[in-house]
Amino acid sequence: MKTIKILIAIFFVSITVNVNAQTKDKNILKVNYTTGCVSDFLVGMLKKQIKDPAQLSKMLTMMEGYKVHSSFYQNIKTKESFFVIDSISEVEKLSTAGYTYYTYKNAAGDLQGKEIFMGKKINFEGKVNELKWNITDEQKEINGYQCKKAHLEGNPAIYVWFAPEIPVSGGPYVFYGLPGLVLESDNYFESVSATTIAYESKEVFEKKLAEVKDKISTKKAISLAEVFAKKENFQRMILKGK
């Protein structure tokens, strides 16, 4: 009987340690995002090109099947954060413009990242204060949060919906610099929506952060302005070829 009690005690301690090790930290925010290729621009182009409502609906349904699942983590205390891809749900015979592989922001506001655009890997870098936003009077509710709309200065085609009641400046891709968490965005050839918002353990944050830092490339990186210019130029090419 004494041996059984000892084993039970050891088992109980083991479970307690494991649970404590995974305790969620209110300084660590995790947001899951889903990225699709049904953007305002692409939908607008399809409506001009496909006059048959049935064919248009079929195309949009196929596009909606493509999903990129990513996660955004931020240490609210240190302001260090990152956005990283988790998985892709692809659709046969559907090609997309690309996706974000990762974005890392240090406590000083320096950004580094990598994305795939038109089949090519692009390393980019910049600073949060380079991103200037024009906040509009438009509002809507997303997942129970009252959100405001903002357009990226100089790139009106890029806009986001952010929640002021979640005082975390960040979100998908490089969308920093707003007084609230970004819950939705539309960026030329993709749209992004937050699916879940929760706290995460510091252990998970540190592990994922180390994985992202290992991916940071030392190869030549282009500026954020150059990244946006590439996308804008490609958009113009599509418009001219319509």
Side-chain angles (χ1 to χ4, degrees), residues 96-144:
T96 64
Y99 56 87
T100 304
Y101 191 42
Y102 69 83
T103 302
Y104 166 69
K105 181 188 76 69
N106 64 19
D110 300 314
L111 292 170
Q112 290 175 286
K114 177 183 286 185
E115 65 178 291
I116 308 298
F117 182 64
M118 299 312 298
K120 296 182 179 180
K121 293 180 181 179
I122 298 175
N123 294 308
F124 60 83
E125 61 184 9
K127 292 182 179 295
V128 170
N129 59 18
E130 293 176 34
L131 302 166
K132 307 296 183 183
W133 297 94
N134 292 319
I135 300 175
T136 73
D137 293 328
E138 292 183 68
Q139 297 188 37
K140 74 172 181 177
E141 187 175 298
I142 302 174
N143 298 333

Side-chain angles (χ1 to χ4, degrees), residues 66-231:
Y66 174 85
K67 303 289 184 185
V68 178
H69 307 283
S70 307
S71 298
F72 169 77
Y73 295 80
Q74 183 169 111
N75 185 319
I76 299 172
K77 196 172 183 179
T78 67
K79 307 301 182 185
E80 191 172 26
S81 63
F82 57 92
F83 176 74
V84 63
I85 187 172
D86 295 319
S87 64
I88 302 179
S89 299
E90 296 185 295
V91 174
E92 189 177 357
K93 297 181 181 180
L94 178 67
S95 297
T96 64
Y99 56 87
T100 304
Y101 191 42
Y102 69 83
T103 302
Y104 166 69
K105 181 188 76 69
N106 64 19
D110 300 314
L111 292 170
Q112 290 175 286
K114 177 183 286 185
E115 65 178 291
I116 308 298
F117 182 64
M118 299 312 298
K120 296 182 179 180
K121 293 180 181 179
I122 298 175
N123 294 308
F124 60 83
E125 61 184 9
K127 292 182 179 295
V128 170
N129 59 18
E130 293 176 34
L131 302 166
K132 307 296 183 183
W133 297 94
N134 292 319
I135 300 175
T136 73
D137 293 328
E138 292 183 68
Q139 297 188 37
K140 74 172 181 177
E141 187 175 298
I142 302 174
N143 298 333
Y145 296 99
Q146 196 62 31
C147 297
K148 292 185 176 182
K149 189 177 186 180
H151 292 269
L152 187 63
E153 193 173 289
N155 300 84
I158 299 176
Y159 67 85
V160 302
W161 290 93
F162 68 96
E165 60 187 291
I166 307 178
V168 172
S169 182
Y173 193 36
V174 297
F175 298 144
Y176 289 91
L178 285 158
L181 180 69
V182 174
L183 297 186
E184 288 185 5
S185 68
D186 196 282
N187 172 20
Y188 293 117
F189 313 107
E190 63 182 25
S191 58
V192 188
S193 298
T195 54
T196 60
I197 304 172
Y199 293 116
E200 187 53 271
S201 68
K202 189 175 181 180
E203 289 79 8
V204 170
F205 176 83
E206 294 296 342
K207 180 182 178 182
K208 292 288 186 180
L209 177 60
E211 292 174 357
V212 170
K213 285 185 174 181
D214 283 342
K215 295 173 183 176
I216 294 177
S217 176
T218 56
K219 293 182 179 179
K220 184 179 178 181
I222 63 175
S223 68
L224 293 178
E226 289 175 287
V227 173
F228 292 136
K230 281 180 178 291
K231 295 179 179 180

Side-chain angles (χ1 to χ4, degrees), residues 30-48:
K30 178 185 178 183
V31 186
N32 292 116
Y33 289 95
T34 297
T35 301
C37 57
V38 185
S39 67
D40 286 357
F41 170 69
L42 291 179
V43 171
M45 287 299 299
L46 287 173
K47 285 181 177 179
K48 292 178 181 178

